[in-house]
Amino acid sequence: MLPDTTLTDGIVTLRQWHPDDAKWYADQSRDPEIQRFTTDPPDLDEATVRAAIGRVLAGRSWAWAITDAATGALLGNVALSPEHELSYWVAAAGRGRGVATRAVRLVLDRAWASGVERVRLHAHVDNVGSQRVAERAGFRREGVERAARQVKGQTWDVVWYGVDRP
């Protein structure tokens, strides 16, 4: 199940990832904030990202590049797994502009239109920015799960959020 080619609210556009985006993604993934709060490894390289993009385009997951609607500049990543778990990150150049909230709302609209009944996400307990995005996009906090994830040799406590189809 591939995502629509593009989704937009006039401020941000979500489009399919292209293999040509792999270098940008790998470079952005080295950002300390992205490393702190995502599972992307610190040595992620262009070839690995290119292969992952190929798998997404051939698989059931939905994943989009978040871009500036006016300029087309890449700003981040948003994905919805087959289990309807949402994930996202925004590159430093896009932070503080409401980009993630807009992207999440667009994905939710697409999910509801596709018949999805519930979407969940989790955020590292220290990732206040991601928690605010979830809340602004309509998610409800469902609780904290201690020692929920093993990521890059660390044990993460996470906050779970959920939203039901309206």
Side-chain angles (χ1 to χ4, degrees), residues 99-138:
V99 168
T101 301
R102 288 175 173 282
V104 168
R105 286 178 179 152
L106 286 167
V107 172
L108 289 176
D109 288 346
R110 178 64 179 98
W112 305 149
S114 297
V116 172
E117 294 294 326
R118 180 168 176 71
V119 175
R120 295 189 75 204
L121 67 84
H122 70 274
H124 187 288
V125 292
D126 295 335
N127 192 344
V128 176
S130 186
Q131 293 173 47
R132 287 185 185 142
V133 166
E135 291 164 2
R136 282 192 300 262

Side-chain angles (χ1 to χ4, degrees), residues 23-117:
K23 181 178 181 345
W24 182 88
Y25 187 110
D27 289 348
Q28 299 310 306
S29 75
R30 292 183 190 91
D31 176 286
E33 286 300 297
I34 292 173
Q35 278 300 302
R36 183 174 176 206
F37 295 125
T38 72
T39 60
D40 284 343
D43 60 350
L44 187 64
D45 63 20
E46 183 177 351
T48 303
V49 174
R50 189 178 300 273
I53 290 170
R55 286 190 303 275
V56 166
L57 294 175
R60 298 181 311 129
S61 294
W62 291 352
W64 291 268
I66 305 169
T67 67
D68 183 291
T71 67
L74 286 163
L75 300 173
N77 176 57
V78 63
L80 185 65
S81 76
E83 298 77 32
H84 306 137
E85 188 170 331
L86 189 70
S87 60
Y88 48 86
W89 58 257
V90 174
R95 292 184 194 136
R97 298 170 33 193
V99 168
T101 301
R102 288 175 173 282
V104 168
R105 286 178 179 152
L106 286 167
V107 172
L108 289 176
D109 288 346
R110 178 64 179 98
W112 305 149
S114 297
V116 172
E117 294 294 326

Side-chain angles (χ1 to χ4, degrees), residues 151-162:
V151 179
K152 298 179 238 182
Q154 298 180 339
T155 301
W156 281 13
D157 295 340
V158 300
V159 181
W160 280 98
Y161 287 87

Side-chain angles (χ1 to χ4, degrees), residues 5-22:
T5 302
T6 60
L7 304 172
T8 190
D9 66 0
I11 304 296
V12 299
T13 296
L14 308 185
R15 64 159 173 83
Q16 289 181 354
W17 283 102
H18 301 291
D20 292 344
D21 300 325

